[in-house]
Amino acid sequence: MYTHTGDEEYALKFYNFTWSVIIFFYPVPVYAQSFYGDTFGDVLHLVEDVFISKTASLYTKHIYADTSLQIYNNGSIYGDLFTCNGCDMRIHSNGEIIGRIHVAQDATLTQIIETPAQLRQLNVVGNYSVLINKTSNIAWRDIQYIAKSADKIILHNAVIDFSISDLQTTAHNSPQIELVGENEIHLHDLDEFNDVTIMNNITGDGTIRLNTNVPNKLYAASATIDNDTLHIHKIRETDYYKILGTDIGQYLNSLRLSNSSDKLIARLDAAHTMDELHHIIHKSVRLNPRQLIQPLATIAQHRRAAATTDYYSNGLNIATSHIEPFYLSGDNISAYGANIDVVTPISKYVLGGINTFIGQVNFNDRTDTINGTVYGIGAFAQYTNSAFYSMTQIGHITGNFITPEIYYAGKTFYNPNANISYTTIDIGPHIVNTSNLLITATLGGEMEYSSITDHNEFKSALRGGILSNMTHHGVDLVYNYFTHMSLTTNSVTQISIGVSIMSEPDNVAGNIAISHVNENGAPSYHVRAGLKFGF
């Protein structure tokens, strides 16, 4: 039976079967046997490419391919299929093949997979291949399952999803795998794929590209084929422009080229996560010179604490000059130097003075140790009577640092200067005021303005604290024991304790004091001792 439409010829042919029932009939392309309804019988011969619609079922017991052909099955085949000797059969099946497929001598059978719907296991007697043809995101475990009886899996321009659980069956039970064209493997759970074998028995001249699709840009996967085996290695990415996508990444790449053993490069290479990498960059003076403000801010905190306790317990009602060496130590900072100040009574209730200092500072950003010279000047005015206390301080500190090459805002430079200016105000009542004990509760605030290169920053905070001074009179000596505790709204706590011993006949006093500052979890300690002379 033939039907013609225009220049196209359509045909439907049946050979050597006992009886058949055709429920639906449609025209089909030339050289194609097409089935749109159920077919029954003992024998069916196929002489050209076959199309079976999803509404069709072949209940024929024996189906013989008399030539090389392709079968496009969207329905059901319940009978056994037989290839002819030396023929080539290719099966594209979205439907069911219940019967067995018998591969004749010198014949080839290829199951072609192009969509996930075609991942169906065949019951084959003889050798056959499974061709994964131009697929997208088909799971390797599904391919392994339907091809476990096959002799060969052919990957042709295929995209395969691979998970660590696939290793349970992949490495030791793979049929031969032939690579054709450009193939891609999507790896999930990259952390698990480190020095593992994911495919064996690999042949062909095609390629495999890895796609990890992982959020951690620090790691990538590397694939090598050795002795017909595909190995996956997790490698640390060291192209920082690729990782960061910024000018800092370009600078780091050039730094590696000029000095591969650079300490900053080595520390960045040791980072395991992007958060860790960004933390190192943020804390590095060479990439973020604003970090040099930190040692100046720590020194400023201790200087404010020292001035508050010293002048609160001045003890001499005459002008004095104070010389005081100091040493400061913290988690990543150390400094030493000397303070010099001059204090004088302005009136019965007002005390004023100026102070200066100079010293050396060492700052460690966990990568480099930066040395510098620091110096500063300050002034204060204190008012106190029998019921009330107030104190105002102002000061400025400069740091001249010696640094390696710094990269910041697209420029490289050396040895920047940092500056910080501060103001502190404390006021409050005396809650205890006797001849031997003075305790004062204070409220106030502090402000800081810092600058380095072209970066400026302003900070302010409220603060509250307790001051105390206990006096003990000896024969010729007066002992002053003082404490100061304060807390700010920007999480800075400070505690100072000390003692001053004064000889009233000589107008001379000596003191020693220790202060502790904790700024956002970073502690530091300041020790000072000196002499105070009246004039």
Side-chain angles (χ1 to χ4, degrees), residues 223-522:
T224 58
I225 297 178
D226 184 28
N227 294 325
D228 302 331
T229 300
L230 177 61
H231 300 278
I232 300 297
H233 307 274
K234 185 173 70 172
I235 59 173
R236 175 59 157 78
E237 181 63 71
T238 56
D239 181 344
Y240 284 107
Y241 181 70
K242 181 178 178 181
I243 294 170
L244 299 171
T246 64
D247 57 328
I248 291 178
Q250 291 177 318
Y251 171 75
L252 291 171
N253 286 348
S254 65
L255 182 61
R256 184 190 299 279
L257 290 175
S258 62
N259 182 9
S260 60
S261 61
D262 185 271
K263 291 187 294 183
L264 178 58
I265 293 297
R267 187 151 184 254
L268 291 170
D269 287 350
H272 296 291
T273 65
M274 287 298 294
D275 286 345
E276 187 178 352
L277 186 80
H278 285 301
H279 179 77
I280 293 170
I281 291 173
H282 176 70
K283 292 296 184 180
S284 171
V285 168
R286 285 198 268 166
L287 299 177
N288 183 16
R290 291 176 294 178
Q291 292 297 319
L292 292 175
I293 295 297
Q294 180 186 336
L296 299 191
T298 300
I299 292 172
Q301 288 285 355
H302 284 285
R303 285 190 59 75
R304 291 198 289 267
T308 301
T309 53
D310 285 356
Y311 305 146
Y312 179 77
S313 59
N314 185 51
L316 293 177
N317 294 319
I318 57 175
T320 61
S321 176
H322 191 191
I323 301 174
E324 183 181 61
F326 70 88
Y327 178 77
L328 186 153
S329 177
D331 185 41
N332 59 346
I333 178 178
S334 64
Y336 62 91
N339 305 311
I340 300 176
D341 60 24
V342 176
V343 180
T344 184
I346 297 174
S347 68
K348 180 180 179 180
Y349 300 115
V350 179
L351 193 67
I354 59 173
N355 55 72
T356 62
F357 85 98
I358 188 169
Q360 295 292 312
V361 64
N362 300 303
F363 177 67
N364 190 315
D365 65 0
R366 305 292 189 270
T367 302
D368 300 289
T369 298
I370 309 299
N371 300 316
T373 300
V374 289
Y375 50 91
I377 188 170
F380 84 96
Q382 174 182 290
Y383 174 89
T384 184
N385 59 25
S386 60
F388 184 79
Y389 163 89
S390 71
M391 184 174 185
T392 300
Q393 298 183 59
I394 60 173
H396 179 85
I397 301 173
T398 295
N400 298 331
F401 294 98
I402 301 173
T403 68
E405 181 181 75
I406 292 175
Y407 180 83
Y408 183 71
K411 299 180 292 185
T412 58
F413 52 91
Y414 295 84
N415 307 333
N417 294 334
N419 294 275
I420 188 168
S421 300
Y422 59 86
T423 298
T424 300
I425 299 174
D426 293 300
I427 58 175
H430 301 308
I431 55 179
V432 176
N433 189 358
T434 68
S435 59
N436 295 320
L437 180 62
L438 183 63
I439 300 177
T440 305
T442 63
L443 289 174
E446 59 186 40
M447 295 179 290
E448 285 185 354
Y449 175 81
S450 58
S451 64
I452 185 170
T453 63
D454 58 352
H455 175 77
N456 304 305
E457 188 172 348
F458 176 80
K459 293 181 179 180
S460 62
L462 299 177
R463 53 188 260 157
I466 295 288
L467 283 160
S468 71
N469 181 48
M470 184 174 65
T471 304
H472 172 69
H473 291 268
V475 177
D476 293 319
L477 300 177
V478 178
Y479 300 87
N480 288 296
Y481 305 95
F482 51 85
T483 63
H484 178 213
M485 294 178 290
S486 68
L487 174 66
T488 71
T489 54
N490 59 356
S491 301
V492 178
T493 58
Q494 178 268 318
I495 301 174
S496 298
I497 60 173
V499 59
S500 172
I501 304 174
M502 179 182 60
S503 172
E504 289 184 312
D506 301 317
N507 286 334
V508 174
N511 70 284
I512 184 170
I514 299 174
S515 60
H516 165 79
V517 170
N518 191 308
E519 186 170 7
N520 296 311

Side-chain angles (χ1 to χ4, degrees), residues 185-190 210-216 219-222:
I185 291 179
H186 286 188
L187 288 182
H188 301 281
D189 307 317
L190 178 60
L210 297 180
N211 186 339
T212 58
N213 290 327
V214 293
N216 190 348
Y219 291 95
S222 172

Side-chain angles (χ1 to χ4, degrees), residues 10-162:
Y10 298 82
L12 178 66
K13 298 182 180 179
F14 302 91
Y15 296 90
N16 299 324
F17 54 84
T18 303
W19 56 279
S20 64
V21 178
I22 308 300
I23 298 177
F24 298 98
F25 175 80
Y26 295 99
V28 297
V30 66
Y31 305 126
Q33 287 177 259
S34 298
F35 300 86
Y36 292 95
D38 293 347
T39 300
F40 301 86
D42 291 327
V43 178
L44 174 64
H45 285 272
L46 308 176
V47 297
E48 53 196 357
D49 290 350
V50 175
F51 172 80
I52 303 170
S53 77
K54 63 182 180 179
T55 61
S57 296
L58 303 186
Y59 293 99
T60 307
K61 292 181 179 179
H62 299 93
I63 303 171
Y64 295 96
D66 294 341
T67 186
S68 295
L69 51 78
Q70 300 195 64
I71 297 175
Y72 298 89
N73 174 43
N74 297 296
S76 300
I77 300 174
Y78 289 93
D80 282 6
L81 276 167
F82 297 85
T83 69
C84 54
N85 291 339
C87 296
D88 177 25
M89 178 183 286
R90 296 189 167 216
I91 296 178
H92 311 252
S93 182
N94 293 296
E96 296 180 303
I97 300 178
I98 307 301
R100 292 181 295 178
I101 303 173
H102 302 264
V103 183
Q105 184 178 0
D106 298 326
T108 60
L109 172 66
T110 304
Q111 180 185 8
I112 298 177
I113 308 296
E114 294 175 317
T115 67
Q118 296 174 329
L119 287 165
R120 297 174 182 270
Q121 190 174 13
L122 302 180
N123 186 357
V124 178
V125 179
N127 298 330
Y128 78 105
S129 301
V130 176
L131 170 61
I132 311 300
N133 186 46
K134 300 180 181 179
T135 59
S136 296
N137 302 319
I138 287 183
W140 181 247
R141 70 175 72 88
D142 295 335
I143 296 172
Q144 285 286 102
Y145 177 76
I146 64 107
K148 61 185 178 182
S149 299
D151 299 280
K152 180 191 289 187
I153 298 173
I154 304 169
L155 301 180
H156 174 235
N157 295 338
V159 179
I160 308 298
D161 277 351
F162 206 109

